[in-house]
């Protein structure tokens, strides 16, 4: 028996459990330590006592009660606050995790459970060859989704075997930061020596990793659609409140997986969290574009975002086209030479536009302030009135629309001037019915004023809609994004046009087409299978000439043009209000939405935001805007940190530029999203 004098009165016993990677049972070890011993010394003593010769570099101490890692090995136990009652676990920092990707495939790979989620996601994206990891994050599945899955598994007599891609030796294991070289915009694409087409960047970057060759196609190419029965069994949010509940599962980017209760071999969803997709490049982004397309596709199929019947048919036609291309042998190279030429041409056109070269432009003189002037029809909804449009002479200048009785009175005082800065712009279009409308929700002191404009044709609509979209963001038609915006709107309208020769449509039955796979269950119930197939094939004629990458980018572009695109909902209670509202968080604004009707009440732009913070005691987010406007709300459907991180995250993404190196300022991200907790 040893006396206390032998160790000194300040020493005490510390029990540490060792989590052996390949043994089921954990073993406990008792160490004699003192408060001035540093964490590294504790680990050294422990390893000496274990007496097993192996590489312990991936191990660290986890403090069970405090739910934190002791990673600062130079700190003493006193400084960490560790005493004799502490339960410490000596365990691996990198553990296996199952990730459900946007294309519904599951990959199993080693991930750092000790790094903050922001860094862990960066390492995951490096392993999967997805650039711009700051746009993605990890999401826990909502209880409603899990309940539906359990019910489905209960009804199935045969157990469902999930197809999992194992990436045991992924680069994430090393825990090293992403090499700037992999993400450099100056990187030269690699070309196949036989046919001259670009080799997938995934294969060239990670030739020695498990992601090369066959595994690459799982992530970079689309795969056959699920059956209509499987689609019907998947969880679909029915209301905006259901959508809000799903967003409660986002993990805190400034804490580690282990700190947030994630266990080894748990399943999480890897999703694009921020709808601000920067520098999409078909040469390097095979996986990123495909996963983005898949996230958009599932958002449409599961009705996570609303669209019209006409738009649903366009999405269905693009999916059908992509499924045909994916099955054909020619599509196995992600980009062909002609596609690369198209991309190069688009980039050079963009450079000419930005540098002020000669381009097709509606602006005769760049020194003039651009404006639009034309006859449009206007309608202001009032209670108990019919929807009657009246024609006026409209002038669009800067970020405002003025309207006059006729063209002759256009130089006098307008009937009304509408400032569109900060307004909501909603398309009100039915191409088949020759209806080209623009719905404007203009912020006023007590809410939003509704104004409807009606254009005569596609071209007029494209110019005015593009101008409205830019004005809402505080930009004028002099902005370089105006012409591309006009072209995007026109190309989307052309896809909706019914072809002149419907007799060309093939017989759907002879093609073995399952049309219900390409639309949401609600639309599948509306039509007989043969009718639906005929309508999809008719719409397909407008997109039949598109290449694989072009069709995916068009799908993403069409998704981005939907009114609800990029809105993430939360149930909140505003300060001074007696009822719950919905808060929509987008890449450039916050929207207060009536929970009962789904109508926008007020919009606040990030560009006019002065500061925002969180009162952690009452869990309240407070935001100050220009012109002495301030709001405060508590979040009811999720932790307020999640909403705060969303706002800060979008501010962080707005600081990116193509000039800078693609390495991220992680400190700035945490500064903007942390909320000084």
């Amino acid at each position: 028996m040893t006396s206390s004098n032998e160790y000194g009165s300040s020493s005490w016993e510390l029990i540490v459990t060792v989590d052996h990677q390949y043994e089921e049972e954990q073993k406990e070890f008792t160490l004699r330590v003192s408060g001035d011993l540093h964490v590294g010394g504790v680990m050294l003593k422990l390893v000496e006592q274990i007496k097993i010769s192996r590489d312990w570099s991936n191990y660290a101490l986890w403090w069970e009660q405090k739910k934190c890692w002791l990673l600062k090995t130079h700190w003493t136990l006193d400084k960490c606050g560790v005493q004799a009652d502490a339960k410490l676990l000596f365990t691996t920092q990198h553990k296996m995790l199952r990730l459900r990707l946007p294309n519904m495939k599951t990959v199993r790979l080693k991930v750092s459970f000790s790094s903050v989620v922001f860094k862990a996601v960066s390492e995951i994206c490096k392993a999967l060859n997805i650039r711009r990891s700051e746009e993605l994050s990890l999401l826990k599945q909502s209880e409603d989704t899990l309940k539906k899955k359990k019910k489905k598994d209960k009804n199935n007599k045969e157990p469902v075997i999930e197809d999992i891609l194992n990436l045991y030796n992924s680069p994430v294991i090393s825990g090293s930061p992403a090499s700037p070289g992999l993400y450099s915009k100056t990187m030269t694409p690699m070309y196949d020596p036989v046919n001259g087409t670009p080799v997938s960047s995934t294969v060239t970057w990670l030739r020695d990793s498990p992601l090369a060759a066959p595994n690459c196609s799982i992530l970079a190419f689309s795969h056959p659609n699920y059956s209509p029965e499987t689609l019907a069994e998947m969880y679909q949010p029915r209301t905006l409140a259901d959508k809000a509940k799903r967003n409660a599962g986002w993990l805190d980017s400034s804490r580690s997986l282990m700190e947030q209760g994630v266990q080894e071999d748990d399943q999480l969803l890897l999703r694009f969290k921020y709808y601000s997709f920067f520098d999409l490049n078909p040469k390097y982004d095979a996986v990123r574009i495909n996963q983005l397309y898949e996230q958009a596709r599932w958002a449409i199929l599961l009705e996570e975002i609303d669209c019209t019947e006409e738009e649903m048919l366009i999405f269905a036609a693009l999916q059908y086209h992509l499924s045909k291309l994916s099955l054909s042998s020619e599509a196995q190279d992600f980009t062909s030479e002609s596609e690369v030429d198209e991309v190069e041409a688009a980039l050079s056109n963009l450079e000419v536009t930005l540098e002020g070269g000669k381009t097709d432009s509606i602006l005769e003189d760049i020194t003039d302030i651009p404006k639009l002037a034309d006859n449009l029809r206007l309608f202001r909804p009032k209670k108990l009135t019919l929807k009657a449009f009246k024609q006026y002479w409209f002038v669009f200048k800067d970020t405002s629309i003025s309207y006059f009785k006729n063209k002759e009175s256009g130089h006098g005082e307008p009937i009304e001037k509408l400032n569109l800065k900060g307004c909501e712009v909603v398309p009100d279009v039915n191409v088949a019915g020759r209806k080209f409308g623009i719905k404007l929700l203009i912020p006023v002191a007590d809410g939003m004023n509704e104004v409807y404009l009606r254009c005569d044709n596609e071209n007029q609509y494209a110019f005015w809609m593009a101008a409205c979209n830019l004005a809402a963001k505080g930009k004028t038609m002099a902005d370089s994004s105006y012409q591309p915006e006009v072209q995007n709107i026109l190309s989307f309208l052309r896809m909706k046009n019914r072809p002149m020769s419907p007799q060309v449509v093939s017989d759907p039955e002879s093609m073995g087409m399952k049309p219900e796979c390409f639309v949401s269950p609600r639309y599948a119930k509306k039509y007989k299978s043969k009718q639906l197939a005929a309508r999809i094939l008719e719409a397909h004629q407008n997109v039949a000439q598109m290449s694989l990458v072009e069709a995916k980018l068009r799908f993403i572009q069409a998704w981005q043009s939907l009114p609800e695109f990029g809105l993430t909902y939360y149930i909140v209670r505003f300060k001074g209000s007696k009822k719950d509202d919905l808060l929509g968080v987008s890449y450039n604004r916050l929207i207060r939405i009536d929970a009962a009707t789904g109508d926008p009440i007020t919009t606040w732009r990030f560009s006019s935001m002065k500061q925002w913070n969180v009162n952690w005691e009452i869990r309240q987010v407070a935001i100050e805007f220009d012109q002495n406007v301030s709001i405060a709300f508590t979040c009811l459907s999720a932790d307020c940190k999640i909403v705060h991180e969303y706002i800060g995250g979008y501010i962080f993404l707005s600081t990116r530029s193509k000039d800078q190196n693609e390495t991220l300022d992680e400190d700035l991200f945490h500064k903007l999203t942390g909320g000084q907790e």
Side-chain angles (χ1 to χ4, degrees):
M1 189 171 171
T2 53
S3 67
S4 61
N5 292 338
E6 197 175 322
Y7 292 102
S9 57
S10 63
S11 68
W12 36 274
E13 288 185 341
L14 178 67
I15 296 170
V16 182
T17 307
V18 177
D19 180 15
H20 281 292
Q21 205 172 355
Y22 305 108
E23 292 179 24
E24 286 185 21
E25 284 188 25
Q26 295 178 334
K27 290 180 182 175
E28 281 190 359
F29 290 84
T30 305
L31 304 176
R32 194 88 196 171
V33 298
S34 60
D36 58 0
L37 182 65
H38 51 75
V39 172
V42 174
M43 293 198 290
L44 193 62
K45 272 193 171 195
L46 183 62
V47 169
E48 284 171 358
Q49 201 168 320
I50 294 169
K51 292 176 183 172
I52 296 175
S53 179
R54 57 168 300 175
D55 181 6
W56 296 99
S57 61
N58 190 34
Y59 277 70
L61 289 169
W62 166 256
W63 191 353
E64 284 286 352
Q65 296 105 314
K66 296 271 185 179
K67 297 283 179 209
C68 70
W69 289 92
L70 303 179
L71 297 174
K72 291 178 178 169
T73 51
H74 60 284
W75 278 25
T76 63
L77 295 178
D78 282 345
K79 192 172 182 179
C80 294
V82 175
Q83 294 176 343
D85 61 346
K87 288 181 182 175
L88 299 185
L89 177 68
F90 192 51
T91 185
T92 51
Q93 295 177 65
H94 286 80
K95 300 175 187 293
M96 296 307 292
L97 188 68
R98 286 179 299 131
L99 290 175
R100 196 99 189 269
L101 303 181
N103 65 347
M104 299 297 180
K105 296 287 178 189
T106 302
V107 295
R108 192 165 175 266
L109 73 172
K110 275 203 172 177
V111 176
S112 173
F113 273 58
S114 60
S115 300
V116 294
V117 165
F118 184 82
K119 200 164 189 174
V121 170
S122 175
E123 292 177 346
I124 289 164
C125 288
K126 185 190 169 191
L128 301 179
N129 188 29
I130 299 173
R131 288 194 315 144
R132 300 291 177 187
S133 63
E134 67 274 15
E135 295 167 2
L136 297 94
S137 194
L138 299 172
L139 180 69
K140 280 185 179 175
Q141 280 183 294
S142 66
E143 286 179 18
D144 294 317
T145 315
L146 293 169
K147 276 179 197 168
K148 185 141 190 176
K149 199 176 179 204
K150 280 177 188 171
K151 192 178 175 185
K152 178 188 163 188
D153 293 345
K154 207 174 178 182
N155 295 340
N156 280 348
K157 289 175 185 176
E158 292 179 23
V160 178
I161 300 165
E162 196 172 17
D163 180 25
I164 296 177
L165 169 63
N166 282 302
L167 302 177
Y168 293 115
N169 303 315
S170 71
V172 179
I173 293 175
S174 65
S176 60
S179 158
L182 292 182
Y183 293 87
S184 170
K185 62 178 180 288
T186 58
M187 186 183 77
T188 310
M190 302 291 280
Y191 289 86
D192 188 297
V194 180
N195 58 19
T197 59
V199 179
S200 165
S201 304
T202 312
V203 179
T204 56
W205 291 0
L206 301 167
R207 190 165 278 149
D208 300 324
S209 89
L211 194 56
N215 292 342
C216 159
S217 67
I218 293 173
L219 305 181
F221 293 105
S222 302
H223 295 274
N225 288 34
Y226 283 77
S227 69
E229 295 76 30
T230 310
L231 202 60
E233 285 173 351
M234 286 181 165
Y235 173 72
Q236 287 175 267
R238 299 291 175 198
T239 63
L240 288 176
D242 287 345
K243 292 176 186 178
K245 285 172 192 168
R246 290 179 76 253
N247 294 315
W250 288 109
L251 295 188
D252 185 339
S253 294
S254 39
R255 291 164 66 215
S256 69
L257 291 171
M258 200 100 151
E259 286 170 322
Q260 298 180 72
V262 178
Q263 301 295 315
E264 182 160 18
D265 225 33
D266 276 0
Q267 179 167 287
L268 295 174
L269 309 179
L270 179 70
R271 294 288 183 271
F272 288 88
K273 177 180 179 179
Y274 298 103
Y275 295 87
S276 178
F277 315 126
F278 189 68
D279 188 27
L280 270 181
N281 191 327
K283 282 186 187 175
Y284 312 123
D285 290 328
V287 177
R288 185 178 170 213
I289 288 171
N290 187 57
Q291 295 301 327
L292 203 46
Y293 157 70
E294 289 286 350
Q295 186 159 324
R297 184 168 79 92
W298 284 106
I300 301 292
L301 291 176
L302 299 178
E303 295 186 21
E304 290 168 12
I305 185 168
D306 287 338
C307 65
T308 64
E309 189 173 313
E310 201 170 47
E311 286 159 348
M312 181 64 82
L313 288 169
I314 288 296
F315 288 123
L318 283 165
Q319 285 177 76
Y320 171 62
H321 182 60
L322 282 162
S323 70
K324 274 179 70 181
L325 287 178
S326 298
L327 291 171
S328 67
S329 57
E330 299 84 47
Q332 290 313 300
D333 283 314
F334 186 72
T335 50
S336 68
E337 252 183 302
S338 61
E339 286 174 46
V340 175
D341 292 341
E342 285 168 24
V343 173
E344 292 289 1
L347 289 171
S348 63
N349 285 346
L350 182 61
E351 282 166 10
V352 170
T353 310
L354 294 175
E355 289 165 15
K358 190 182 176 186
T359 54
D360 293 332
S361 172
I362 60 158
L363 312 177
E364 290 177 358
D365 186 352
I366 201 71
T367 57
D368 290 343
I369 298 169
K371 70 174 187 179
L372 290 172
D374 213 338
N375 283 312
L376 302 178
R377 283 164 292 156
L378 174 127
F379 166 69
R380 278 185 173 281
K382 292 173 186 171
K383 286 182 182 177
L384 305 171
T385 58
L386 294 169
K387 203 169 185 177
F389 282 87
K390 194 174 178 185
Q391 185 168 295
Y392 295 97
W393 178 255
F394 282 81
V395 175
F396 199 130
K397 195 166 184 180
D398 292 332
T399 58
S400 300
I401 290 181
S402 304
Y403 62 94
F404 307 82
K405 190 176 179 183
N406 50 42
K407 188 177 180 178
E408 287 68 37
S409 57
H411 297 291
E413 279 294 308
I415 298 168
E416 191 179 8
K417 187 176 182 179
L418 308 170
N419 184 6
L420 303 193
K421 203 171 179 180
C423 78
E424 290 298 307
V425 184
V426 184
D428 182 25
V429 174
N430 184 324
V431 176
R434 307 302 296 161
K435 173 185 165 188
F436 303 101
I438 303 168
K439 179 182 174 183
L440 300 172
L441 296 162
I442 301 164
V444 287
D446 58 344
M448 304 281 259
N449 273 348
E450 258 184 76
V451 177
Y452 288 82
L453 303 180
R454 187 65 66 82
C455 301
D456 293 329
N457 54 53
E458 285 111 325
N459 285 334
Q460 190 185 50
Y461 169 80
F463 283 110
W464 284 81
M465 184 66 177
C468 290
N469 283 336
L470 262 66
K473 299 171 191 171
K475 296 178 181 178
T476 69
M477 287 174 278
D479 193 87
S480 61
S481 61
Y482 177 63
Q483 279 298 330
E485 181 76 6
V486 172
Q487 292 309 315
N488 286 345
I489 293 166
L490 281 171
S491 66
F492 192 38
L493 291 176
R494 286 185 196 117
M495 282 198 290
K496 291 182 181 182
N497 267 324
R498 286 201 167 189
M500 298 302 289
S501 52
Q503 68 271 15
V504 180
V505 175
S506 314
D507 179 23
E509 284 181 9
S510 65
M511 299 177 76
M513 179 189 182
K514 281 192 177 177
E516 296 85 1
C517 297
F518 304 115
V519 295
S520 67
R522 182 160 58 98
Y523 283 103
K525 288 173 191 168
K526 199 172 175 183
Y527 294 99
K528 288 178 182 173
S529 186
K530 205 170 179 179
Q531 285 177 312
L532 190 59
R535 294 199 66 184
I536 292 171
L537 288 170
E538 190 177 53
H540 177 248
Q541 289 180 71
N542 289 326
V543 299
Q545 302 308 311
M546 287 183 191
S547 64
L548 191 77
V549 66
E550 188 189 352
K552 282 181 186 175
L553 290 170
R554 275 297 168 87
F555 194 101
I556 294 165
Q557 195 183 74
W559 174 48
Q560 288 174 303
S561 71
L562 297 176
E564 263 190 58
F565 168 77
L567 278 176
T568 307
Y569 299 101
Y570 291 98
I571 301 169
V572 299
R573 174 73 62 90
F574 278 88
K575 191 177 178 180
S577 175
K578 291 181 180 177
K579 67 183 185 74
D580 299 346
D581 283 311
L582 283 163
L583 181 75
V585 185
S586 181
Y587 73 96
N588 61 357
R589 68 202 189 283
L590 297 174
I591 309 172
R592 184 177 180 174
I593 300 164
D594 188 303
T597 62
D599 294 332
I601 301 170
T602 322
T603 296
W604 303 280
R605 296 263 158 188
F606 289 156
S607 55
S608 63
M609 190 188 288
K610 286 162 76 176
Q611 66 170 31
W612 74 102
N613 56 62
V614 179
N615 182 332
W616 295 106
E617 286 181 20
I618 56 172
R619 314 299 284 178
Q620 187 181 72
V621 180
I623 308 172
E624 282 182 39
F625 297 92
D626 291 340
Q627 299 173 335
N628 299 321
V629 175
S630 60
I631 60 168
F633 57 84
T634 49
C635 196
L636 307 177
S637 62
D639 191 289
C640 65
K641 171 67 169 74
I642 294 177
V643 181
H644 183 276
E645 188 178 302
Y646 244 116
I647 297 167
Y650 274 126
I651 302 288
F652 171 74
L653 294 186
S654 70
T655 65
R656 296 180 296 180
S657 73
K658 285 193 178 182
D659 299 331
Q660 68 191 39
N661 194 321
E662 292 181 27
T663 49
L664 291 169
D665 187 345
E666 195 179 328
D667 291 338
L668 178 63
F669 176 83
H670 293 304
K671 192 177 175 183
L672 289 169
T673 59
Q676 294 81 48
E677 192 171 359

